[in-house]
Amino acid sequence: MTDILICPAAEIFDSAAVETLIAQFDRDRPGEFRKLLVKHLLDARKAGMETIAAAFRANPLAAESAKRTYTWLTDQLVLTAWRVATEMLHPLSNPTAGERLSLIAVGGYGRGEMAPFSDVDLLFLTPHKITPWSESVIESMLYILWDLRLKVGHASRTVRDCIRLGGEDFTIRTALLEHRLLAGDKRLARDLDTKLQKDLFQGSEREFVEAKLEERDDRHKKQGGQRYMVEPNIKEGKGGLRDLQSLYWIAKYVHHVDHSSELVDLGVFRPEEYETFVRAENFLWATRCHLHLVSNRPQEQLAFDLQVEVASAMGYVDKGGRRAVEHFMQDYFLHATEVGDLTRIFLTSLEADHTKGPPLIDRFFRRQRRVKAGYSVIHGRLAIVDDTAFLADKLNILRLFEEGLRSELLIHPDAMRLVKANLHLIDDDMRRNPAAAKLFLDLLLRHGNPERALRRMNELGVLGAFLPEFKTIVAMMQFNMYHHYTVDEHTIQVIHHLAEIERGELGEELPVSTDIIESGIDRKVLFVALLLHDIGKGRDEDHSILGARIARTVAPRLGLNKKECETVEWLVRYHLLMSDMAQKRDIADPRTVRDFAKAVKTVERLNLLCVLTVCDIRGVGPNTWNNWKAALLRALYRQTRRALEGGMEALNRENRGAEAKKLLRQTLKDWPVKDLRAETARHYPPYWQGLHVTAHLAFANLLRDLGDAAIAIDLHPDEDRDATRVCFAMADHPGIFSRMCGALSLVGANVVDARTFTTKDGFATAAFWIQDAEGSPYEASKLPRLQSMIQKTLQGEVKAREAIKSRDKIKKRERAFRVPTHITFDNDGSEIYTIIEVDTRDRPGLLFDLTRTLANANVYISSAVIATYGEQVVDSFYVKDMFGLKFHSPTKQKSLENKLRDAIEKGAERARS
């Protein structure tokens, strides 16, 4: 075995030094010897592990050698402990037949595959009931191994025990499948081999396969069920090492192979498919070993912070506008996909020899579906009758996926295998063929579930072959906490959400989008725009601009006419516009809607962009879409549509203010006329234009009879927006908005929107919409305590600036994310205010730091709009200077920017400490 070690054996473990130590054994002082031995072996293990790690870091992809070397070092330690226990501590000169003992490695250790912190699984095999001598040997051995800080899993069993327990438990049976004799009685070990094959394995192949597949499905479900989990489990996740090991276990059990390479001779894998197996296995093992080393423990989850370190250890570097970690994770996901392909191929071979049963659905529905000529149904899946005839017409590659959708059958793995082996047929002639373009568009438009075909086409490489521009984003990870999927999977998810809307499944949840679809829309333009909207990602250029250029080339190739191509290009170029306007700007400001309407120009484009935006946000990941985003987009859509259809004068501020006062009068019919007249007269125009009547009502009640020193607070669940609305009323003074932000930060609230106003009689009114740490409204039972804590902070009982320091921390796993700070000043986006947009790394105390900095600079904040994208946040402040003017002066802007950047940097430093 020493010929495959990652470095010379003598550098890893000094056998001669151990021999010298053993030669000093004194039978009269065993305890002292044992102590010396453990110290020596502990030092030897530490030095050996460091030597292997250094050699592996120097050759970071030598996973095969690394895992064999870790196994070899473990063997030396275990065998030394065995020798000491059997020959020195408990020597037995004339053992009886019942005192025979075999030391056997099982599981991954038995297979000879170990990562730096893998478990050491041992089986102590006895012929009959364990004897006192065997018990003493096992106990002494285990104590030595535990003192060496090895994580030992062990069992003492007879051959009969192994057969019985293996028959009851598939985990035990799998471990026994990979046993390896280390030391002890060879005849007893051979007896185990014979009995396992004869009494346990033989005749139970189908049972074992079904159990392993069920175990795999349960494991995948537990790990999230997705191959593209952004923090995948390298061992247990979909497409991970356990999937490859399961293939080997089944192959060994069914075909009696000792090495996976034998599957080529058996015809299960083609040579090139086996090469894929080896590459995937090597990459995953290299990743796992580096993951153990950088985390210094048996870590299997590729957490965000560890991804950065593993990528560096494996030699990845930043290039092409993307971080090293993004290149690394793209390779990881590509290998995970290959593992899925290999699994399909292998399971098909098992079905062919009836070792695995047909799919469950086929057992329920025996009646075969009718398929077109050239296809057949095998085990309930769509198969190709004649490979040669199929490949004679390259368009059949696309027709296969259409027939799968039409017949509602899954495609047979043999058919997928044939397609993948012949991707070279998809050439420029085929890409320019109008018939091919029509077939592709039919996949999107005709059958109601295009995502099924797209996902399979993507996994097989067909999508990237037919649209070479798409290939760049396949398995591309975006290293942030906002996007839950790779770019290609996000694109397919987005199309899935559009198909859901078209099928009428989301009418209650998405009434506006459903109405748009039902009223008629250019489906071809919308589907193609969704397919291409992120195609420009991963380059060192704005992906919307690059994507629009790519769309200009791809859309005509797909058969769209000039007008359709122009619309697709516009949608790709501006696919973030509506989301940005709704989430980063104050849509209560008429200027926001007016500018958006001017950019969109027509109701047709507004409809297309609205549906695209909804699908794009929903496709980011679970729970990204919520009522808050829905309310913002609906409001922006309805106001913009009204402006486009009725003219821009429909957005007039005075009209809005008059309507708001009228509504409040109707709501407060029981108020005396004098009080009502005082309430409607005390506020400036922006107050009436920026809030809903429910907030006007809350402030009216808070301000009524409010004393100069009093602080009035109203907390109300705003279920339509998935937030809790907090209304403050108190005497106005400088920095009040910042103090409110500090109070809310201290209670752990996430501010998503805020408006502040002053009254003509010297009071400040402010409305905040907040969410808890989970992004949900606060439960009603928590509101009284929340109100009490806010009140104490505002009354000065708690100093926000000091108290917030202990809470303003960034979690360790989130520290690897980089978010550059961008600060812009916009004097055109509002008629009255300068909009300061701060795009930076989010943290608990950020809003408080920013508002305190602005307050100290004598900046009046009218409103704040907060948009959060994972670890990134965009805080937009609508502000004036102390004279009520905009910030036009470049000098003033630069001074303010420097102060904000200084506050951000100091806060970030505090959060990392």
Side-chain angles (χ1 to χ4, degrees), residues 696-712:
H696 292 151
L697 177 62
F699 281 123
N701 287 313
L702 291 175
L703 288 165
R704 200 176 189 187
D705 303 321
L706 183 68
D708 288 346
I711 298 172

mmCIF file with all atom_site columns, all heavy atoms in Angstrom, residues 696-712:
data_model
loop_
_atom_site.group_PDB
_atom_site.id
_atom_site.type_symbol
_atom_site.label_atom_id
_atom_site.label_alt_id
_atom_site.label_comp_id
_atom_site.label_asym_id
_atom_site.label_entity_id
_atom_site.label_seq_id
_atom_site.pdbx_PDB_ins_code
_atom_site.Cartn_x
_atom_site.Cartn_y
_atom_site.Cartn_z
_atom_site.occupancy
_atom_site.B_iso_or_equiv
_atom_site.pdbx_formal_charge
_atom_site.auth_seq_id
_atom_site.auth_comp_id
_atom_site.auth_asym_id
_atom_site.auth_atom_id
_atom_site.pdbx_PDB_model_num
ATOM 1   N N   . HIS A 1 696 ? -53.015 57.637 9.383  1.00 0.00 ? 696 HIS A N   1
ATOM 2   C CA  . HIS A 1 696 ? -53.558 58.968 9.746  1.00 0.00 ? 696 HIS A CA  1
ATOM 3   C C   . HIS A 1 696 ? -54.443 58.858 10.980 1.00 0.00 ? 696 HIS A C   1
ATOM 4   O O   . HIS A 1 696 ? -54.398 59.718 11.872 1.00 0.00 ? 696 HIS A O   1
ATOM 5   C CB  . HIS A 1 696 ? -54.353 59.557 8.577  1.00 0.00 ? 696 HIS A CB  1
ATOM 6   C CG  . HIS A 1 696 ? -53.501 59.930 7.397  1.00 0.00 ? 696 HIS A CG  1
ATOM 7   N ND1 . HIS A 1 696 ? -53.963 59.908 6.104  1.00 0.00 ? 696 HIS A ND1 1
ATOM 8   C CD2 . HIS A 1 696 ? -52.203 60.349 7.323  1.00 0.00 ? 696 HIS A CD2 1
ATOM 9   C CE1 . HIS A 1 696 ? -52.995 60.284 5.288  1.00 0.00 ? 696 HIS A CE1 1
ATOM 10  N NE2 . HIS A 1 696 ? -51.920 60.559 5.998  1.00 0.00 ? 696 HIS A NE2 1
ATOM 11  N N   . LEU A 1 697 ? -55.239 57.789 11.022 1.00 0.00 ? 697 LEU A N   1
ATOM 12  C CA  . LEU A 1 697 ? -56.131 57.573 12.160 1.00 0.00 ? 697 LEU A CA  1
ATOM 13  C C   . LEU A 1 697 ? -55.321 57.322 13.430 1.00 0.00 ? 697 LEU A C   1
ATOM 14  O O   . LEU A 1 697 ? -55.627 57.887 14.502 1.00 0.00 ? 697 LEU A O   1
ATOM 15  C CB  . LEU A 1 697 ? -57.057 56.382 11.866 1.00 0.00 ? 697 LEU A CB  1
ATOM 16  C CG  . LEU A 1 697 ? -58.009 55.964 12.991 1.00 0.00 ? 697 LEU A CG  1
ATOM 17  C CD1 . LEU A 1 697 ? -58.979 57.091 13.321 1.00 0.00 ? 697 LEU A CD1 1
ATOM 18  C CD2 . LEU A 1 697 ? -58.771 54.699 12.601 1.00 0.00 ? 697 LEU A CD2 1
ATOM 19  N N   . ALA A 1 698 ? -54.271 56.485 13.332 1.00 0.00 ? 698 ALA A N   1
ATOM 20  C CA  . ALA A 1 698 ? -53.424 56.185 14.499 1.00 0.00 ? 698 ALA A CA  1
ATOM 21  C C   . ALA A 1 698 ? -52.775 57.460 15.033 1.00 0.00 ? 698 ALA A C   1
ATOM 22  O O   . ALA A 1 698 ? -52.763 57.701 16.248 1.00 0.00 ? 698 ALA A O   1
ATOM 23  C CB  . ALA A 1 698 ? -52.359 55.155 14.115 1.00 0.00 ? 698 ALA A CB  1
ATOM 24  N N   . PHE A 1 699 ? -52.242 58.300 14.133 1.00 0.00 ? 699 PHE A N   1
ATOM 25  C CA  . PHE A 1 699 ? -51.584 59.538 14.571 1.00 0.00 ? 699 PHE A CA  1
ATOM 26  C C   . PHE A 1 699 ? -52.584 60.529 15.162 1.00 0.00 ? 699 PHE A C   1
ATOM 27  O O   . PHE A 1 699 ? -52.259 61.252 16.111 1.00 0.00 ? 699 PHE A O   1
ATOM 28  C CB  . PHE A 1 699 ? -50.825 60.177 13.409 1.00 0.00 ? 699 PHE A CB  1
ATOM 29  C CG  . PHE A 1 699 ? -49.501 59.529 13.125 1.00 0.00 ? 699 PHE A CG  1
ATOM 30  C CD1 . PHE A 1 699 ? -49.223 59.007 11.877 1.00 0.00 ? 699 PHE A CD1 1
ATOM 31  C CD2 . PHE A 1 699 ? -48.537 59.440 14.123 1.00 0.00 ? 699 PHE A CD2 1
ATOM 32  C CE1 . PHE A 1 699 ? -48.004 58.399 11.608 1.00 0.00 ? 699 PHE A CE1 1
ATOM 33  C CE2 . PHE A 1 699 ? -47.313 58.834 13.865 1.00 0.00 ? 699 PHE A CE2 1
ATOM 34  C CZ  . PHE A 1 699 ? -47.043 58.309 12.609 1.00 0.00 ? 699 PHE A CZ  1
ATOM 35  N N   . ALA A 1 700 ? -53.763 60.566 14.608 1.00 0.00 ? 700 ALA A N   1
ATOM 36  C CA  . ALA A 1 700 ? -54.789 61.473 15.150 1.00 0.00 ? 700 ALA A CA  1
ATOM 37  C C   . ALA A 1 700 ? -55.065 61.144 16.610 1.00 0.00 ? 700 ALA A C   1
ATOM 38  O O   . ALA A 1 700 ? -55.150 62.039 17.468 1.00 0.00 ? 700 ALA A O   1
ATOM 39  C CB  . ALA A 1 700 ? -56.067 61.366 14.317 1.00 0.00 ? 700 ALA A CB  1
ATOM 40  N N   . ASN A 1 701 ? -55.161 59.837 16.911 1.00 0.00 ? 701 ASN A N   1
ATOM 41  C CA  . ASN A 1 701 ? -55.431 59.419 18.290 1.00 0.00 ? 701 ASN A CA  1
ATOM 42  C C   . ASN A 1 701 ? -54.214 59.629 19.189 1.00 0.00 ? 701 ASN A C   1
ATOM 43  O O   . ASN A 1 701 ? -54.357 59.960 20.371 1.00 0.00 ? 701 ASN A O   1
ATOM 44  C CB  . ASN A 1 701 ? -55.856 57.947 18.310 1.00 0.00 ? 701 ASN A CB  1
ATOM 45  C CG  . ASN A 1 701 ? -57.267 57.759 17.762 1.00 0.00 ? 701 ASN A CG  1
ATOM 46  O OD1 . ASN A 1 701 ? -58.185 58.488 18.128 1.00 0.00 ? 701 ASN A OD1 1
ATOM 47  N ND2 . ASN A 1 701 ? -57.434 56.783 16.872 1.00 0.00 ? 701 ASN A ND2 1
ATOM 48  N N   . LEU A 1 702 ? -53.009 59.427 18.650 1.00 0.00 ? 702 LEU A N   1
ATOM 49  C CA  . LEU A 1 702 ? -51.791 59.619 19.456 1.00 0.00 ? 702 LEU A CA  1
ATOM 50  C C   . LEU A 1 702 ? -51.579 61.086 19.807 1.00 0.00 ? 702 LEU A C   1
ATOM 51  O O   . LEU A 1 702 ? -51.165 61.424 20.927 1.00 0.00 ? 702 LEU A O   1
ATOM 52  C CB  . LEU A 1 702 ? -50.558 59.096 18.690 1.00 0.00 ? 702 LEU A CB  1
ATOM 53  C CG  . LEU A 1 702 ? -50.422 57.583 18.483 1.00 0.00 ? 702 LEU A CG  1
ATOM 54  C CD1 . LEU A 1 702 ? -49.209 57.270 17.613 1.00 0.00 ? 702 LEU A CD1 1
ATOM 55  C CD2 . LEU A 1 702 ? -50.300 56.847 19.814 1.00 0.00 ? 702 LEU A CD2 1
ATOM 56  N N   . LEU A 1 703 ? -51.843 61.983 18.848 1.00 0.00 ? 703 LEU A N   1
ATOM 57  C CA  . LEU A 1 703 ? -51.579 63.403 19.043 1.00 0.00 ? 703 LEU A CA  1
ATOM 58  C C   . LEU A 1 703 ? -52.651 64.102 19.878 1.00 0.00 ? 703 LEU A C   1
ATOM 59  O O   . LEU A 1 703 ? -52.403 65.166 20.452 1.00 0.00 ? 703 LEU A O   1
ATOM 60  C CB  . LEU A 1 703 ? -51.464 64.104 17.684 1.00 0.00 ? 703 LEU A CB  1
ATOM 61  C CG  . LEU A 1 703 ? -50.184 63.805 16.883 1.00 0.00 ? 703 LEU A CG  1
ATOM 62  C CD1 . LEU A 1 703 ? -50.356 64.246 15.439 1.00 0.00 ? 703 LEU A CD1 1
ATOM 63  C CD2 . LEU A 1 703 ? -48.983 64.509 17.521 1.00 0.00 ? 703 LEU A CD2 1
ATOM 64  N N   . ARG A 1 704 ? -53.810 63.512 19.948 1.00 0.00 ? 704 ARG A N   1
ATOM 65  C CA  . ARG A 1 704 ? -54.924 64.145 20.671 1.00 0.00 ? 704 ARG A CA  1
ATOM 66  C C   . ARG A 1 704 ? -54.563 64.251 22.160 1.00 0.00 ? 704 ARG A C   1
ATOM 67  O O   . ARG A 1 704 ? -54.287 63.262 22.826 1.00 0.00 ? 704 ARG A O   1
ATOM 68  C CB  . ARG A 1 704 ? -56.187 63.309 20.501 1.00 0.00 ? 704 ARG A CB  1
ATOM 69  C CG  . ARG A 1 704 ? -57.465 64.073 20.783 1.00 0.00 ? 704 ARG A CG  1
ATOM 70  C CD  . ARG A 1 704 ? -58.668 63.196 20.496 1.00 0.00 ? 704 ARG A CD  1
ATOM 71  N NE  . ARG A 1 704 ? -59.904 63.942 20.542 1.00 0.00 ? 704 ARG A NE  1
ATOM 72  C CZ  . ARG A 1 704 ? -61.112 63.391 20.464 1.00 0.00 ? 704 ARG A CZ  1
ATOM 73  N NH1 . ARG A 1 704 ? -61.207 62.074 20.301 1.00 0.00 ? 704 ARG A NH1 1
ATOM 74  N NH2 . ARG A 1 704 ? -62.189 64.135 20.520 1.00 0.00 ? 704 ARG A NH2 1
ATOM 75  N N   . ASP A 1 705 ? -54.491 65.454 22.675 1.00 0.00 ? 705 ASP A N   1
ATOM 76  C CA  . ASP A 1 705 ? -54.182 65.722 24.085 1.00 0.00 ? 705 ASP A CA  1
ATOM 77  C C   . ASP A 1 705 ? -52.770 65.274 24.483 1.00 0.00 ? 705 ASP A C   1
ATOM 78  O O   . ASP A 1 705 ? -52.505 64.984 25.655 1.00 0.00 ? 705 ASP A O   1
ATOM 79  C CB  . ASP A 1 705 ? -55.202 65.048 25.023 1.00 0.00 ? 705 ASP A CB  1
ATOM 80  C CG  . ASP A 1 705 ? -56.620 65.488 24.713 1.00 0.00 ? 705 ASP A CG  1
ATOM 81  O OD1 . ASP A 1 705 ? -56.824 66.684 24.412 1.00 0.00 ? 705 ASP A OD1 1
ATOM 82  O OD2 . ASP A 1 705 ? -57.530 64.631 24.759 1.00 0.00 ? 705 ASP A OD2 1
ATOM 83  N N   . LEU A 1 706 ? -51.831 65.179 23.509 1.00 0.00 ? 706 LEU A N   1
ATOM 84  C CA  . LEU A 1 706 ? -50.462 64.768 23.821 1.00 0.00 ? 706 LEU A CA  1
ATOM 85  C C   . LEU A 1 706 ? -49.698 65.942 24.440 1.00 0.00 ? 706 LEU A C   1
ATOM 86  O O   . LEU A 1 706 ? -49.649 67.025 23.880 1.00 0.00 ? 706 LEU A O   1
ATOM 87  C CB  . LEU A 1 706 ? -49.740 64.298 22.543 1.00 0.00 ? 706 LEU A CB  1
ATOM 88  C CG  . LEU A 1 706 ? -48.312 63.764 22.717 1.00 0.00 ? 706 LEU A CG  1
ATOM 89  C CD1 . LEU A 1 706 ? -48.322 62.447 23.492 1.00 0.00 ? 706 LEU A CD1 1
ATOM 90  C CD2 . LEU A 1 706 ? -47.646 63.564 21.348 1.00 0.00 ? 706 LEU A CD2 1
ATOM 91  N N   . GLY A 1 707 ? -49.086 65.685 25.597 1.00 0.00 ? 707 GLY A N   1
ATOM 92  C CA  . GLY A 1 707 ? -48.311 66.726 26.266 1.00 0.00 ? 707 GLY A CA  1
ATOM 93  C C   . GLY A 1 707 ? -46.944 66.914 25.630 1.00 0.00 ? 707 GLY A C   1
ATOM 94  O O   . GLY A 1 707 ? -46.447 66.032 24.913 1.00 0.00 ? 707 GLY A O   1
ATOM 95  N N   . ASP A 1 708 ? -46.291 68.038 25.942 1.00 0.00 ? 708 ASP A N   1
ATOM 96  C CA  . ASP A 1 708 ? -44.998 68.361 25.325 1.00 0.00 ? 708 ASP A CA  1
ATOM 97  C C   . ASP A 1 708 ? -43.914 67.345 25.671 1.00 0.00 ? 708 ASP A C   1
ATOM 98  O O   . ASP A 1 708 ? -43.008 67.098 24.879 1.00 0.00 ? 708 ASP A O   1
ATOM 99  C CB  . ASP A 1 708 ? -44.547 69.761 25.759 1.00 0.00 ? 708 ASP A CB  1
ATOM 100 C CG  . ASP A 1 708 ? -45.395 70.844 25.102 1.00 0.00 ? 708 ASP A CG  1
ATOM 101 O OD1 . ASP A 1 708 ? -46.109 70.509 24.137 1.00 0.00 ? 708 ASP A OD1 1
ATOM 102 O OD2 . ASP A 1 708 ? -45.334 71.994 25.560 1.00 0.00 ? 708 ASP A OD2 1
ATOM 103 N N   . ALA A 1 709 ? -43.974 66.742 26.869 1.00 0.00 ? 709 ALA A N   1
ATOM 104 C CA  . ALA A 1 709 ? -42.918 65.822 27.305 1.00 0.00 ? 709 ALA A CA  1
ATOM 105 C C   . ALA A 1 709 ? -43.279 64.359 27.067 1.00 0.00 ? 709 ALA A C   1
ATOM 106 O O   . ALA A 1 709 ? -42.487 63.457 27.348 1.00 0.00 ? 709 ALA A O   1
ATOM 107 C CB  . ALA A 1 709 ? -42.619 66.040 28.787 1.00 0.00 ? 709 ALA A CB  1
ATOM 108 N N   . ALA A 1 710 ? -44.474 64.134 26.579 1.00 0.00 ? 710 ALA A N   1
ATOM 109 C CA  . ALA A 1 710 ? -44.957 62.756 26.450 1.00 0.00 ? 710 ALA A CA  1
ATOM 110 C C   . ALA A 1 710 ? -44.453 62.097 25.165 1.00 0.00 ? 710 ALA A C   1
ATOM 111 O O   . ALA A 1 710 ? -44.131 62.763 24.180 1.00 0.00 ? 710 ALA A O   1
ATOM 112 C CB  . ALA A 1 710 ? -46.479 62.734 26.483 1.00 0.00 ? 710 ALA A CB  1
ATOM 113 N N   . ILE A 1 711 ? -44.391 60.779 25.226 1.00 0.00 ? 711 ILE A N   1
ATOM 114 C CA  . ILE A 1 711 ? -44.059 59.975 24.043 1.00 0.00 ? 711 ILE A CA  1
ATOM 115 C C   . ILE A 1 711 ? -45.191 58.972 23.835 1.00 0.00 ? 711 ILE A C   1
ATOM 116 O O   . ILE A 1 711 ? -45.503 58.183 24.738 1.00 0.00 ? 711 ILE A O   1
ATOM 117 C CB  . ILE A 1 711 ? -42.720 59.210 24.242 1.00 0.00 ? 711 ILE A CB  1
ATOM 118 C CG1 . ILE A 1 711 ? -41.564 60.191 24.437 1.00 0.00 ? 711 ILE A CG1 1
ATOM 119 C CG2 . ILE A 1 711 ? -42.445 58.287 23.054 1.00 0.00 ? 711 ILE A CG2 1
ATOM 120 C CD1 . ILE A 1 711 ? -40.259 59.511 24.824 1.00 0.00 ? 711 ILE A CD1 1
ATOM 121 N N   . ALA A 1 712 ? -45.829 59.030 22.691 1.00 0.00 ? 712 ALA A N   1
ATOM 122 C CA  . ALA A 1 712 ? -46.950 58.127 22.406 1.00 0.00 ? 712 ALA A CA  1
ATOM 123 C C   . ALA A 1 712 ? -46.533 57.144 21.310 1.00 0.00 ? 712 ALA A C   1
ATOM 124 O O   . ALA A 1 712 ? -45.938 57.536 20.304 1.00 0.00 ? 712 ALA A O   1
ATOM 125 C CB  . ALA A 1 712 ? -48.177 58.928 21.971 1.00 0.00 ? 712 ALA A CB  1
#
